[in-house]
Amino acid sequence: MSWRHRSRDGHGRPRPPDRRGIQWRVVAEPAPAPDRALPENPWPALWALVIGFFMILVDSTIVSVATPALMSAFGAGVDEVLWVTSSYLLAYAVPLLVTGRLGDRIGPKRVYMVGLTVFTLASLWCGLSGELDLGIAGLVAARAAQGLGASMMTPQTMTVITRTFPAERRGQAMALWGATAGVATLVGPLVGGLLVDTLGWEWIFFVNIPVGVVGLVLAARLVPRLPTSPHRFDLFGVALSALGLFCAVFALQEGQAFGWGRIWGPVSVPGLLVAGIGLLVGFVWWQARNPGEPLVPLDLFRDRNFSLANGAIMAMGFTVTAMVFPFYIWAQSVRGLSPTMAALLMAPSSVMSFVLAPLAGRLTDRVHPRLLVGSGTTLLAFSIWLLSRNATPDSPLWIALVAAFLMGISNPLVWGPLSTTATRNLAMDRAGAGSGVYNTTRQMGAVLGSAAIAMLMQSRITARLGEGAAAAQDGMDTSGASLPPGVAEGLSRAMAEALLLPAAVILVGAVLAMFFERPRHLVRR
């Protein structure tokens, strides 16, 4: 806020002076303006970035349906093949704080294009790993390289939106960004299943190559070079954040596989988790006391909406990740649906998310975010509860379609408005740092959701089935309604109870949304 001299009121009449003979008024400071010398229409640049963003999100889920094919091709066990996904997600999540800040320093376009190049070449490496006789370890290493490329790309998409769209138009751009994430969750399993069944597992990686080349050409031609800031790099902060995030993410992501016990020698999952938390606490302490320029300026969190949006997006990342596991187990193992048919049950969600994204974007620029995010998160909680209530061996499948339809309405009210609210007030030279924090928070929510739902599902299966838990575990590995009726009933109840966790967590996001402040561009109206 700023104080300015004012001699007359809104009707032109002289305003009485205060005791000092000075008249004042309160004027809201303008929101940060976009960078100068930018194209008048920033939409072509955004569409160019969305191509790469869509590709890396699809790759987060596309491999899951290829697990049996990879086990056969490499002669590997399920734990080894799971590392094909785990290595990608780990390499994706850990560097996000650094890559976001790197965009502020050398330019988001450069970092994005380097990341897309790394991702595309790593996709070629993944597809050739069988022909090159590299074994499953070679594929895991290639997937880690893919994850590193993805971590360089993701923060730059938000940074470009923040720096090229004015605050009052940013909601529509962020709505497209959020709709891309929603559609990718459907396309990944569907495209993965089709490619594995027709061309072979290699093509879930080879398909990225032409898309990556097109994305590079479009980014080179359409994305503007934004002014950079002469930031100094906080190397000690980089080390603390990278080690802390690696230890924490690894422990949460792989804890179930190691039975939450010993990993190797004296290294255990609890010990690694404690070390990760300690390093992250040390990272925050260093950021507050760094005499130079910190990696994450903590004054970002002085903006209430930025802080609350980060908490809400963590809840959202937790919820969407935790929800899919029990749903797909119920759809495939209990109802006997194929992976493709199970994915089609969620089709209304992705379709509605994409269709409603433009409307949600316009509303985001005109309506208080607490109304949009609050209603979206509440509706999402209700739709997951509806799935839970009808996760039985004989419930009508149209109810699941209705629940997915409601999710499709709720998603664009959450993804776009949240990202817009988080970045609306950021200074232009902090856009990369803010985007890195936001995406790291989202990924940490997803990791927490994956770990929590795995533990909960296991405990509910044991509680519901007792000695029959082993039969249920065997049935979860394949699709088909071959489970005995008693086992199917117990597994259904276990999955229904597990779905209540993401439904409850997203309500935390609804509560946080109630405390959003009115955006500055709306205050000025």
Side-chain angles (χ1 to χ4, degrees), residues 92-127:
Y92 186 2
V94 170
L96 282 170
L97 287 178
V98 179
T99 56
R101 195 59 165 164
L102 196 61
D104 287 336
R105 182 171 183 176
I106 66 175
K109 178 176 180 176
R110 290 180 180 175
V111 178
Y112 177 86
M113 293 188 66
V114 170
L116 183 53
T117 302
V118 170
F119 187 93
T120 304
L121 293 176
S123 297
L124 178 63
W125 179 10
C126 288

Side-chain angles (χ1 to χ4, degrees), residues 237-252:
V238 169
L240 284 175
S241 67
L243 287 174
L245 284 171
F246 176 83
C247 292
V249 172
F250 183 92
L252 292 170

